[in-house]
Amino acid sequence: MPYRVQETSQVHETAEVGDGSSVWELAQIREHARLGRNCVIGRGAYIGTGVRIGDNVKIQNYALVYEPATLADGVFVGPAAVFTNDHNPRAVAADGSVKGASDWEAVGVDVAEGASIGARAVCVAPVRIGRWSMVAAGAVVTKDVPDFALVMGVPAKRAAWIGRTGRRLESGGDAVWVCPDTGDRFEERDGTLTEIDKES
């Protein structure tokens, strides 16, 4: 199935857009960016040069994803969220001269499978957003987010553990957490959460 691009969007000829994807009004996809299958790029969203996006990713209106970000399969990026790429941004050098592209090295945000980034959240590169984690609306992420963590605040801190459905996990005792929707079980150890094999 071919992809769909609205007339007012800008998709560079070197960008790759997977089958079944939709690029909505005023969105911009830069050179050599790659989108997987069945992605949705909302109105006014920006996808930077060389950004890599997996399958079934939703990037909502006016989100800004600067290179060299990578987004795995099933990632959700809320409206007006921002992924930065310069840890020490300056328009000019110490002598006052204008800085160019060769005067800095871009660093990226790496978003793992199934993670969600809330509306107007800011992810300050370089950071990794863990598998099936969730960044609350308006949060500012300055440190790596563990798998299955819900983080919120400025700066963002872990507020809870969550499952694949996005619901908070419930305590099962002895460092075990349980998803109220699926019954999946997890073990907490040293600040990380690991899925427990259903057969064990």
Side-chain angles (χ1 to χ4, degrees), residues 82 117-123 135-141 151-157:
V82 179
I117 312 298
R120 291 194 179 276
V122 178
C123 297
V135 175
V140 177
V141 178
V151 299
M152 54 180 61
V154 180
K157 296 180 181 178

Side-chain angles (χ1 to χ4, degrees), residues 86-173:
D86 189 348
H87 202 61
N88 298 295
R90 291 287 196 215
V92 296
D95 63 3
S97 61
V98 175
K99 293 181 75 172
S102 62
D103 294 323
W104 61 287
E105 182 178 349
V107 291
V109 175
D110 178 21
V111 187
E113 176 191 10
S116 296
I117 312 298
R120 291 194 179 276
V122 178
C123 297
V124 181
V127 290
R128 178 185 185 273
I129 311 299
R131 295 171 52 246
W132 300 100
S133 64
M134 184 177 292
V135 175
V140 177
V141 178
T142 59
K143 296 181 180 179
D144 290 353
V145 176
D147 295 349
F148 300 103
L150 168 64
V151 299
M152 54 180 61
V154 180
K157 296 180 181 178
R158 187 176 69 80
W161 295 116
I162 59 172
R164 291 173 185 257
T165 65
R167 291 273 302 277
R168 291 183 185 226
L169 301 181
E170 298 174 351
S171 176

Side-chain angles (χ1 to χ4, degrees), residues 14 20 22-24 27 34 73 95 101 119 127 131 140 148 164 166 193:
T14 62
S22 298
V23 181
W24 292 100
R34 187 173 66 210
D73 295 347
D95 63 3
V127 290
R131 295 171 52 246
V140 177
F148 300 103
R164 291 173 185 257
L193 205 66

Side-chain angles (χ1 to χ4, degrees), residues 3-11 17 21-24 29:
Y3 57 83
R4 180 170 54 174
V5 176
Q6 295 295 316
E7 290 183 3
T8 57
S9 63
Q10 298 176 28
V11 179
V17 180
S21 292
S22 298
V23 181
W24 292 100
I29 300 178

